[in-house]
Amino acid sequence: MKTEFSLAQLADPDIAEADKILRACVHCGFCTATCPTYVLLGDELDSPRGRIYLIKEMLEKDKPPTAEVVKHIDRCLSCLACMTTCPSGVNYMHLVDQARGRIEEEYTRPLPERALRALLAWVLPRPELFRASMILARLGRPLTALLPASKAGAVTPNLSSRIKAMLALAPHGLPASGPAGGSVFPALGPKRGRVALLQGCAQQVLAPRINQAAIRLLTRHGIEVVLVRDEQCCGALTHHLGRDGDALGRARANITAWLDEAERGGLDAIVVTTSGCGTVIKDYGFMLREDRDFAGPAAKISALARDISEYVGELDLPAPQRRSDLVVAYHSACSLQHGQKITLLPKELLSKNGFVVKDVPESHLCCGSAGTYNILQPELAGRLRDRKVANIASLKPDVIAAGNIGCMVQIGSVRKVDGTSVPVVHTIELLDWATGGPRPALN
């Protein structure tokens, strides 16, 4: 793609990066076939190619984004299926992230939307506030009947539909909190390694059992696990809202905390059980590439980051203690298959450990969770969820396995109202069970 940035514009490292990305695009349109919003809406501007044109024009003209540009960028899930499909290696992720940052800085949204986004950015990265918000949401759910209904077939959401979606995602109850930051879990038997396990934000409130399963499996196989005391949210949630100042501040704090821990006791890896977080942590090196003080440390942390399936795959697990005839529908989270390019490994681990694993049809299409997308774009997210649930149902599985809490909540719909009634568990829960841990809740 031909670009026309001025030399003054290209002096900006972000614009120079955008220019490189744009020039790699050859307009082939392969990305449209795997873009969820294009599949649903059939609008060129709701495809990666269309959004690339909009971003190019916005950046080249160096003008504030228009409402039309914002609408189509907001509809992007950042599922990154287009990057898997693209034969030219266009880094759409870095381009759309830059566009979101520009929109956040230069576009004035309606006041109710600004307030909702600010609320999400404040609450979701803070587990204590998030836990309190889930309790309040449960109490406020009966009031949704008083909210006005959206127009039939409306794609553009209003505040009412977003509030309804937010309340609908709240579970009926919350589990007890998991272990606190600063906890250390020694290896059982000969010590083979030491890792930091990302505690997560929403996950530690909604499903602390996931990290507990990871801790059991890792320590049982000779790995010491530490929950770093001063760790923060990874920054993914605010990063995808375009709030880069917040996201980069959290990244710097985590880098400092993890490197301090590495100096104290050594770290072989930073293990992540939420693939959406892992994709961003692995990108810290790029995000802080222009930071004189943090560029090197950020690159070091990105190199240490491992999805739990990657790290477990390196442990060479012994033959399973039990075999199961459970049929597992493996849902490949977008952030894992497209963001981190981890596709076969989780399925291979499940299969080797005695499970009957089946691929979900249209596995490349997003389930509609995508961080805060299922709140900010509830109609499109709901259509994608229904499509995903129908594809899963065609397999008649006993259980669904996924590697990302957002997907698990979206597909299971927490309260089984709109989602599937089939149990949804994390891949590591099944692997823990197969290698000597407790059976996950499958009822």
Side-chain angles (χ1 to χ4, degrees):
M1 179 181 289
K2 181 181 178 182
T3 59
E4 297 179 351
F5 292 108
S6 68
L7 291 177
Q9 286 177 304
L10 291 172
D12 181 334
D14 287 335
I15 295 297
E17 182 66 24
D19 180 65
K20 183 174 70 174
I21 296 169
L22 290 166
R23 285 177 175 269
C25 179
V26 296
H27 320 274
C28 67
F30 286 1
C31 57
T32 61
T34 57
C35 174
T37 50
Y38 184 78
V39 169
L40 290 183
L41 302 174
D43 186 337
E44 174 72 12
L45 294 180
D46 285 315
S47 74
R49 184 171 62 180
R51 293 185 181 106
I52 285 171
Y53 279 116
L54 293 175
I55 296 169
K56 174 181 179 292
E57 183 178 23
M58 176 179 68
L59 296 179
E60 277 186 341
K61 293 183 176 180
D62 197 21
K63 291 183 178 180
T66 65
E68 184 73 2
V69 170
V70 173
K71 177 179 75 174
H72 294 293
I73 298 301
D74 282 353
R75 286 180 183 171
C76 174
L77 296 117
S78 281
C79 69
L80 309 181
C82 55
M83 289 179 59
T84 297
T85 310
C86 180
S88 303
V90 175
N91 196 320
Y92 177 82
M93 178 175 76
H94 290 160
L95 188 66
V96 78
D97 285 347
Q98 188 175 151
R100 288 200 170 104
R102 178 70 67 97
I103 289 169
E104 181 65 20
E105 289 178 3
E106 300 183 3
Y107 182 74
T108 302
R109 298 179 185 273
L111 180 59
E113 186 173 353
R114 293 205 308 272
L116 177 60
R117 285 173 171 264
L119 178 68
L120 293 173
W122 180 254
V123 171
L124 292 179
R126 296 170 170 84
E128 298 82 4
L129 287 178
F130 181 64
R131 177 176 287 275
S133 74
M134 289 295 96
I135 296 170
L136 291 174
R138 191 166 68 245
L139 296 175
R141 190 180 296 127
L143 300 178
T144 57
L146 303 177
L147 295 172
S150 302
K151 293 181 180 179
V155 174
T156 302
N158 55 27
L159 181 62
S160 173
S161 65
R162 286 167 168 160
I163 292 175
K164 286 182 177 180
M166 185 164 54
L167 295 177
L169 288 169
H172 276 308
L174 293 174
S177 300
S183 301
V184 178
F185 300 88
L188 304 179
K191 182 177 174 180
R192 300 168 58 189
R194 187 175 192 267
V195 302
L197 180 64
L198 181 77
Q199 296 161 70
C201 300
Q203 180 173 287
Q204 68 172 277
V205 174
L206 296 173
R209 68 178 196 272
I210 294 172
N211 271 5
Q212 290 166 358
I215 291 167
R216 286 193 300 267
L217 185 147
L218 292 172
T219 55
R220 196 163 55 242
H221 292 88
I223 306 300
E224 182 176 282
V225 180
V226 58
L227 306 182
V228 178
R229 185 182 305 278
D230 297 324
E231 181 185 285
Q232 295 189 16
C233 167
C234 70
L237 289 166
T238 51
H239 180 54
H240 294 310
L241 287 170
R243 296 172 175 250
D244 285 342
D246 181 276
L248 293 178
R250 295 180 182 282
R252 293 185 185 99
N254 284 334
I255 290 165
T256 300
W258 288 329
L259 289 180
D260 286 348
E261 184 63 43
E263 288 181 8
R264 281 193 296 269
L267 288 177
D268 302 309
I270 298 164
V271 176
V272 185
T273 55
T274 303
S275 60
C277 301
T279 300
V280 169
I281 295 170
K282 288 182 177 183
D283 204 41
Y284 276 2
F286 175 83
M287 292 164 64
L288 290 163
R289 68 196 184 284
E290 297 297 325
D291 188 312
R292 182 178 60 186
D293 296 324
F294 278 89
K300 184 175 181 179
I301 290 299
S302 290
L304 279 174
R306 294 283 188 280
D307 182 75
I308 185 67
S309 62
E310 286 182 291
Y311 194 79
V312 170
E314 296 168 1
L315 292 180
D316 191 24
L317 299 181
Q321 296 183 15
R322 60 174 70 91
R323 300 196 66 82
S324 170
D325 59 357
L326 280 179
V327 176
V328 179
Y330 174 71
H331 165 70
S332 189
C334 295
S335 45
L336 200 57
Q337 64 167 319
H338 303 309
Q340 300 184 48
K341 307 303 181 189
I342 300 172
T343 55
L344 296 178
L345 183 56
K347 293 183 288 186
E348 290 174 349
L349 287 170
L350 289 169
S351 180
K352 288 178 181 177
N353 281 278
F355 298 100
V356 179
V357 183
K358 291 189 177 182
D359 283 317
V360 177
E362 294 187 324
S363 61
H364 62 283
L365 287 182
C366 185
C367 68
S369 173
T372 58
Y373 192 91
N374 52 4
I375 295 173
L376 296 175
Q377 299 288 335
E379 198 277 340
L380 292 175
R383 289 167 65 179
L384 289 170
R385 177 203 60 223
D386 294 346
R387 188 170 182 142
K388 181 67 68 175
V389 168
N391 279 321
I392 291 172
S394 70
L395 301 176
K396 295 181 172 55
D398 299 307
V399 63
I400 302 163
N404 189 59
I405 184 62
C407 303
M408 294 169 64
V409 170
Q410 176 77 345
I411 295 170
S413 196
V414 182
R415 297 181 297 116
K416 310 301 181 187
V417 175
D418 300 307
T420 178
S421 59
V422 179
V424 185
V425 300
H426 196 285
T427 306
I428 196 63
E429 293 182 87
L430 293 177
L431 295 176
D432 175 43
W433 177 38
T435 57
R439 179 186 173 98
L442 301 180
N443 298 320

